[in-house]
Amino acid sequence: MIELIPAIDIINGQCVRLTQGDYDAKTVYSTDPTEVAVGFERMGMKRLHVVDLDGAKSRHIVNTEVLRSITSHTNLKVDFGGGLKTDADIEEAFDSGASMVTVGSVAVTSPTLFAEWLSKYGPDRIILGADVRNGMVSINGWKEDSTAQLLPFLRYYVEQGVRNVLCTDISRDGMLGGPAMDLYSSVMREYPSLHLIASGGVSSNADIEELERRGIPAVVFGKAWYEGKIDISKLSLPWV
């Protein structure tokens, strides 16, 4: 059964969505992210993906007060990402109530540090973020493309013990054009034991149902929900 994970992206303490990671293409959906999180919990959601977009841009954790508010007002299992570059950032995220953290850029630029975090906190609390543009992993809030190709990048970290991967096709993020089905299917063929979280482009119930049929373990959705294109109650999934 596919795991449904709603997303809350934060800029200046507000719940927003970007288009293809463009900070100039921002839509504000709520000035109260905690209220949005409470709403997701009331719908029956168990997990939440929170992205500190200010942190991703500034390269250090920023929106901890929002994280603290969400985790103190809900029982949601929150995974938190955006700007986590140092031991202090990771500790602050966990101290603020995050159950897991998503780390992408450090895995590219400082693999030794990422491996230390993986060993220290365990593979159930560290999610490898793999944001992809034209087959290459992007870093620092999608502002820079690295020289790391996706599948070799994943292979290296699977061998290091990574179990959870959040993979976002940047070209589809916020476009409501459908997920990169073939990309996610190719990852699962290579690494069938991964808990792969598909992200980017989800536009309808049909998209989520197709990911389920393809055996993708989990999906993050944001803009499609905020714009009323997903109806959780009508999803033809076993647990709904």
Side-chain angles (χ1 to χ4, degrees), residues 52-225:
D52 182 357
L53 290 174
D54 293 312
K57 192 173 184 178
S58 62
R59 303 188 186 187
H60 62 84
I61 195 169
V62 173
N63 284 291
T64 50
E65 289 306 312
V66 175
L67 175 59
R68 287 182 188 278
S69 180
I70 290 172
T71 56
S72 64
H73 287 86
T74 74
N75 292 311
L76 292 166
K77 186 177 182 180
V78 175
D79 76 77
F80 184 83
L84 303 177
K85 306 291 188 184
T86 66
D87 292 330
D89 289 331
I90 297 292
E91 289 292 342
E92 189 170 0
F94 285 138
D95 289 345
S96 299
S99 298
M100 298 166 285
V101 293
T102 298
V103 180
S105 298
V106 166
V108 175
T109 61
S110 303
T112 300
L113 180 58
F114 182 88
E116 289 174 359
W117 291 344
L118 189 65
S119 175
K120 180 177 181 179
Y121 300 107
D124 292 328
R125 301 195 76 190
I126 302 292
I127 302 169
L128 175 64
D131 302 324
V132 184
R133 181 163 39 217
N134 299 322
M136 311 301 286
V137 179
S138 292
I139 60 175
N140 295 326
W142 302 352
K143 298 300 181 184
E144 302 173 37
D145 292 332
S146 74
T147 58
Q149 295 181 327
L150 177 62
L151 291 180
F153 175 75
L154 293 180
R155 182 180 305 115
Y156 175 81
Y157 281 111
V158 167
E159 291 173 353
Q160 299 295 312
V162 161
R163 297 176 190 164
N164 299 279
V165 172
L166 174 68
C167 185
T168 302
D169 185 327
I170 296 169
S171 69
R172 294 174 183 261
D173 189 73
M175 300 299 290
L176 299 177
M181 299 289 184
D182 291 342
L183 173 67
Y184 303 131
S185 294
S186 68
V187 171
M188 291 307 299
R189 280 195 300 271
E190 289 288 327
Y191 311 108
S193 64
L194 270 185
H195 188 78
L196 177 67
I197 307 165
S199 172
V202 172
S203 64
S204 65
N205 283 21
D207 287 339
I208 295 175
E209 290 165 357
E210 178 61 20
L211 289 166
E212 163 78 11
R213 281 191 289 272
R214 290 180 179 235
I216 308 304
V219 58
V220 164
F221 58 89
K223 188 173 184 177
W225 164 257

Side-chain angles (χ1 to χ4, degrees), residues 7-34 36 49-58 60-67 70 80-82 141-143 173 226:
I8 293 178
D9 293 357
I10 311 293
I11 290 180
N12 295 327
Q14 299 178 318
C15 176
V16 308
R17 294 299 288 176
L18 306 182
T19 299
Q20 295 182 322
D22 184 354
Y23 283 74
D24 294 325
K26 176 184 70 177
T27 301
V28 177
Y29 288 104
S30 174
T31 59
D32 190 346
T34 300
V36 175
H49 178 58
V50 176
V51 182
D52 182 357
L53 290 174
D54 293 312
K57 192 173 184 178
S58 62
H60 62 84
I61 195 169
V62 173
N63 284 291
T64 50
E65 289 306 312
V66 175
L67 175 59
I70 290 172
F80 184 83
W142 302 352
K143 298 300 181 184
D173 189 73
Y226 295 114

